[in-house]
């Protein structure tokens, strides 16, 4: 009995895979070499240019910081004024509503009724165990 009737075609597919791998590696290396050549053709930046760039960046940072501090100071001043005015209004309202002396019997009765209603709302449903 001949068991090995079919030919095995592993060798040609392995050769194709090897060629593909080699070609892709060559393509990657050529792209890398081209980018290196372009990078080497550019002259290195001079010190004067580097100093100018650093000075420009420093000025930009200083301008943004000064703008931030000015805005912060304006915001703080406005918030201080608004808080002071709110406190003044609250004090005026509290002084007007505050009365000297004791509560009348009707006021005490209303207050007791309100407290009892709130207590009933809170304790209306007993907790389940």
């Amino acid at each position: 009995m001949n068991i090995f009737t079919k030919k095995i075609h592993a060798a040609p597919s392995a050769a194709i895979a090897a060629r593909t791998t080699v070609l892709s590696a060559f393509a990657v290396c050529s792209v890398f070499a081209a980018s290196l050549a372009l990078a080497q053709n550019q002259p290195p930046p001079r010190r004067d240019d580097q100093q100018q760039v650093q000075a420009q960046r420093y000025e930009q940072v200083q301008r943004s910081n000064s703008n931030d501090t000015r805005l912060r100071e304006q915001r703080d001043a406005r918030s201080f004024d608004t808080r002071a005015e709110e406190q003044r209004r609250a004090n005026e309202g509290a002084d007007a509503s505050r009365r000297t002396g004791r509560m009348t019997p009707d006021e005490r009765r209303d207050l007791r009724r309100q407290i009892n209603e709130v207590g009933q709302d809170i304790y209306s449903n007993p907790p389940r165990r």
Side-chain angles (χ1 to χ4, degrees):
M1 293 180 70
N2 193 358
I3 299 175
F4 301 105
T5 58
K6 295 184 180 180
K7 292 183 179 179
I8 300 174
H9 298 287
S13 62
I16 292 172
R19 279 188 212 133
T20 306
T21 305
V22 169
L23 287 176
S24 62
F26 177 73
V28 168
C29 288
S30 62
V31 168
F32 182 69
S35 65
L36 280 178
L38 286 175
Q40 288 178 353
N41 287 339
Q42 293 178 352
R46 292 185 289 173
R47 288 189 174 202
D48 297 337
D49 294 339
Q50 288 178 347
Q51 289 175 352
Q52 286 177 347
V53 169
Q54 287 177 352
Q56 288 173 352
R57 287 181 185 163
Y58 180 75
E59 289 172 4
Q60 287 175 351
V61 168
Q62 290 300 323
R63 273 190 246 127
S64 67
N65 286 344
S66 65
N67 288 341
D68 290 344
T69 53
R70 270 190 249 129
L71 290 174
R72 198 175 305 123
E73 288 172 359
Q74 289 175 355
R75 194 178 322 123
D76 290 343
R78 274 189 246 132
S79 64
F80 179 76
D81 293 340
T82 54
R83 270 189 259 128
E85 189 164 330
E86 287 175 3
Q87 287 177 351
R88 185 181 53 80
R89 286 182 186 163
N91 287 339
E92 286 177 0
D95 291 340
S97 66
R98 190 181 312 154
R99 292 177 27 185
T100 58
R102 302 175 87 174
M103 290 173 45
T104 64
D106 291 332
E107 290 173 339
R108 284 197 300 270
R109 192 177 314 118
D110 289 339
L111 181 61
R112 244 186 254 116
R113 182 183 48 78
Q114 291 171 357
I115 292 171
N116 287 336
E117 287 175 359
V118 171
Q120 289 174 359
D121 289 343
I122 292 173
Y123 299 111
S124 62
N125 294 328
R128 294 184 179 185
R129 293 184 186 211

